Amino acid sequence: ARAGVSQLHTKLVTYAPRVICFNGKGVYAWYTNRTVDVGPQNDPIGAARVFVIPSTSARNGRWQRREKAAYFLTLGQFVDRCV
């Protein structure tokens, strides 16, 4: 399963977005192979800044809709500062 990490990393560095958003802690934890939290991340990928939002899956019942929405507003502000 981790074989996909190097492929994803190559694509992210090649296409060089300014901001990368991971949908869910689990996805970013898989990518980094460490425990992570939601919100802005300290480690860039290439030149891109990284932000993790709570998973938007309906199976993610720990987060209320309004809490998820607040992270999207924060993500928007994060993007504005990065571009």
Side-chain angles (χ1 to χ4, degrees):
R2 298 244 350 119
V5 171
S6 64
Q7 293 172 346
L8 177 58
H9 180 79
T10 298
K11 289 178 182 182
L12 292 173
V13 171
T14 299
Y15 291 104
R18 292 186 179 152
V19 175
I20 298 166
C21 179
F22 284 86
N23 183 9
K25 294 189 317 183
V27 176
Y28 189 58
W30 166 79
Y31 180 83
T32 61
N33 201 29
R34 60 184 163 92
T35 303
V36 300
D37 204 357
V38 294
Q41 304 298 307
N42 292 327
D43 300 325
I45 298 173
R49 298 287 314 276
V50 179
F51 196 95
V52 177
I53 59 169
S55 173
T56 56
S57 170
R59 292 174 53 197
N60 184 13
R62 293 189 328 215
W63 297 85
Q64 297 296 319
R65 178 177 251 159
R66 71 183 181 291
E67 293 172 310
K68 290 180 185 180
Y71 273 97
F72 277 96
L73 291 173
T74 304
L75 171 61
Q77 295 165 350
F78 180 78
V79 169
D80 289 343
R81 286 192 309 269
C82 293
V83 293

